[in-house]
Amino acid sequence: MNPFFIVALLCSVGGLLAGGGAVDMLRRADIAILKASQAAALADAEQLYRRRLADEQERGFALSDKLAKTETQLTQRTLEVSRALSKVTTGRACLGNDAVRLLNRAPRDDPIVPEAAGPSATESGAVATDTDVAGWIGNAQWQYDTCRARLGALIDFETGRPDDRTEQ
């Protein structure tokens, strides 16, 4: 064999080994950089998540406190109205037996209320007085206002939330 050929072959094999080692070192370096980059991104995402969670909890607590105060005020106002109703209503019959039964959704063969050509409301059994009706209206207003306040708090919570797509 030619000595020049042997030297060239050894140089080629040595070059291949050195090149392969260099490529392997570069690949390992790239993987290490990717892992470090991924760990940093994960740490940033976790920090962002924790900050957003704390902000959302703080907003939620503030809105819950506001809602609790509103519900307390509504309850207090309803109690005051309820106490005042006894002074401004007379207790006279307002709705007769058929109307009360229909409003209470009592079963009937015929859902149409008959004409009021019968005994008076005070003789017919179950009646609703003006005090009862006024109390019912006051309670319905309280339930409506409470529901409205709760829905308002939920809307405030949702509309005050930052948009995830724009915040980085």
Side-chain angles (χ1 to χ4, degrees):
M1 259 206 175
N2 186 357
F4 182 69
F5 179 73
I6 293 173
V7 170
L9 184 63
L10 287 175
C11 286
S12 295
V13 170
L16 284 173
L17 290 175
V23 167
D24 186 52
M25 284 191 325
L26 288 174
R27 182 186 56 83
R28 288 178 191 242
D30 283 346
I31 290 173
I33 290 170
L34 284 174
K35 285 183 177 180
S37 174
Q38 183 182 19
L42 185 61
D44 289 346
E46 183 177 356
Q47 184 179 15
L48 177 64
Y49 167 77
R50 289 182 187 277
R51 187 180 78 240
R52 284 183 181 174
L53 177 62
D55 291 348
E56 291 293 296
Q57 286 176 331
E58 186 177 323
R59 278 185 346 97
F61 291 146
L63 289 170
S64 292
D65 288 343
K66 182 181 174 184
L67 177 60
K69 289 176 185 173
T70 300
E71 286 186 7
T72 300
Q73 291 171 346
L74 289 171
T75 300
Q76 183 62 36
R77 187 174 71 209
T78 300
L79 289 172
E80 291 169 2
V81 167
S82 181
R83 283 187 216 114
L85 281 175
S86 64
K87 296 176 185 172
V88 296
T89 57
T90 61
R92 71 177 187 270
C94 183
L95 298 174
N97 186 34
D98 289 329
V100 171
R101 185 175 56 240
L102 182 65
L103 290 172
N104 286 335
R105 297 187 174 111
R108 285 184 54 106
D109 295 335
D110 153 2
I112 299 172
V113 178
E115 295 294 322
S120 70
T122 56
E123 299 171 2
S124 65
V127 295
T129 65
D130 62 344
T131 306
D132 296 333
V133 172
W136 180 86
I137 291 170
N139 185 47
Q141 287 173 335
W142 172 79
Q143 289 178 351
Y144 173 81
D145 290 339
T146 301
C147 182
R148 184 180 59 187
R150 289 176 182 173
L151 287 173
L154 286 172
I155 290 168
D156 290 345
F157 185 77
E158 287 298 321
T159 57
R161 176 172 283 156
D163 187 1
D164 291 340
R165 293 168 288 171
T166 59
E167 188 176 324
Q168 298 285 332

